[in-house]
Amino acid sequence: MITVSLPFGLKVRPVIDALHLSGVNIQSPGPEICFDFSQVSFADPTGIVLLHNLTRYLSSRGVRVFYSQLAGLSSALRFMDDIGFFEDHLGRRLHAGSRLRPTTLRLREVHQSDVPTWINTMFVPWVSVCSNHPERSLGMLGVCVSEIFNNIRDHAGTDVGSIFGQWFPNIQRLRIAISDMGAGIPATVAATRPDIAPEMAILTAFQLGFSTQSQPRNRGAGLDYLVSKVCRELGGTITTYSGGRVVHADESGRLSPFSALLTDVGYAGTLFDIVMPTGTLVHDPQDVEVDVW
């Protein structure tokens, strides 16, 4: 059995580095992997979604996945228990009193066919409560999430993505993490642009009009739309982890690769980390129509 000591903050990069230090390559893993929670004191939304996807991926390949050092229920473990993480993977909650908090959107795997219903019945109502804005004014944000799932369908080779949301009321910020365990943007873009570097592949994928799909009907509009709405209009940020590389979009919509790279342990999927202020979410409900891919 390979034991992976999860990092203090349970963030994307430290988790990947912990896998590397433990000798794990998820493309050719051993028969058993144990994730040790003894050092986890803070659970970052992106790290939670990443660990969820890793567990699902490894289990789908016949690897037995264990969690250890769960006794005592630190604040981080209690938080993960409240959002249903351990219920999903252990079949039970760690504590009978655990319950979903109103500031969190339950960690969930959403299939492409269920995305419209999930957005209208779960996602938008939750954002409405957090932001104190009527649901009818939040359609644009629903379209942004839909475009990410469209991107997963068209480029990841899978029809399911994992999503988790957290509201920070003290600073009036929403944090949404959406991820898949697909081929990753660099590998997908390389299929049509084999000469392009991984970081440039992600930057290219955000360009209006670029698509690896043969049918042009609005393809190539989704990620550009996402940056336009979340960053330029709402003043949020988007960090994209894909194929071992990281690209960040700031409040102005300027895209730039992070200088440090993720350690390559075989994690090729894509993860979007979206942060936005709740005070800017009011929009004209007329400005929400965009053809889905």
Side-chain angles (χ1 to χ4, degrees):
M1 179 186 293
I2 299 176
T3 299
V4 179
S5 295
L6 294 171
F8 166 85
L10 199 63
K11 297 182 179 181
V12 173
R13 293 198 51 186
V15 170
I16 296 293
D17 288 340
L19 289 167
H20 175 71
L21 291 174
S22 302
V24 174
N25 185 316
I26 65 173
Q27 298 299 331
S28 55
E32 296 182 345
I33 292 179
C34 178
F35 290 108
D36 180 348
F37 282 81
S38 61
Q39 302 301 313
V40 177
S41 297
F42 174 76
D44 185 87
T46 56
I48 291 173
V49 171
L50 173 64
L51 185 59
H52 173 83
N53 277 2
L54 282 172
T55 300
R56 289 286 196 237
Y57 178 79
L58 291 167
S59 298
S60 72
R61 301 188 66 207
V63 179
R64 297 184 65 190
V65 179
F66 299 90
Y67 300 145
S68 67
Q69 303 299 320
L70 300 179
L73 273 189
S74 66
S75 59
L77 291 180
R78 182 60 185 265
F79 177 73
M80 294 177 69
D81 203 32
D82 285 345
I83 67 171
F85 181 92
F86 296 110
E87 184 177 27
D88 286 344
H89 296 292
L90 300 178
R92 60 179 176 83
R93 292 182 180 269
L94 300 182
H95 189 273
S98 294
R99 58 182 178 82
L100 189 66
R101 308 176 190 190
T103 53
T104 57
L105 180 70
R106 193 195 192 286
L107 175 63
R108 186 179 299 272
E109 295 173 13
V110 184
H111 290 262
Q112 186 70 37
S113 59
D114 299 328
V115 168
T117 299
W118 178 84
I119 286 175
N120 290 328
T121 62
M122 300 295 294
F123 179 71
V124 170
W126 175 73
V127 175
S128 176
V129 171
C130 294
S131 65
N132 198 31
H133 297 320
E135 293 182 25
R136 65 180 181 275
S137 70
L138 301 173
M140 178 272 292
L141 188 56
V143 172
C144 287
V145 171
S146 179
E147 290 295 348
I148 292 180
F149 278 92
N150 289 337
N151 190 72
I152 290 173
R153 178 196 63 203
D154 287 345
H155 305 304
T158 180
D159 68 347
V160 61
S162 301
I163 184 167
F164 169 61
Q166 185 176 2
W167 176 43
F168 298 89
N170 292 338
I171 58 174
Q172 292 297 298
R173 289 288 188 275
L174 285 177
R175 183 95 175 266
I176 302 165
I178 307 176
S179 183
D180 63 69
M181 280 296 296
I185 294 174
T188 305
V189 173
T192 57
R193 296 277 301 275
D195 59 327
I196 197 168
E199 294 91 344
M200 286 305 301
I202 301 175
L203 294 172
T204 300
F206 276 92
Q207 293 177 3
L208 179 63
F210 177 81
S211 176
T212 60
Q213 301 294 304
S214 58
Q215 299 178 2
R217 178 178 158 270
N218 200 47
R219 296 185 187 277
L223 295 184
D224 177 78
Y225 179 87
L226 182 68
V227 170
S228 175
K229 296 301 181 181
V230 170
C231 300
R232 300 187 189 104
E233 292 192 18
L234 300 181
T237 63
I238 304 169
T239 305
T240 304
Y241 303 84
S242 189
R245 301 298 189 269
V246 187
V247 168
H248 180 72
D250 65 15
E251 292 86 347
S252 69
R254 183 174 62 90
L255 291 158
S256 57
F258 279 4
S259 57
L261 306 181
L262 288 172
T263 303
D264 182 10
V265 295
Y267 179 78
T270 299
L271 190 152
F272 294 94
D273 179 18
I274 302 171
V275 181
M276 67 188 77
T278 55
T280 60
L281 289 179
V282 176
H283 267 255
D284 184 349
Q286 301 294 324
D287 185 30
V288 300
E289 296 184 4
V290 59
D291 291 335
V292 296
W293 291 0

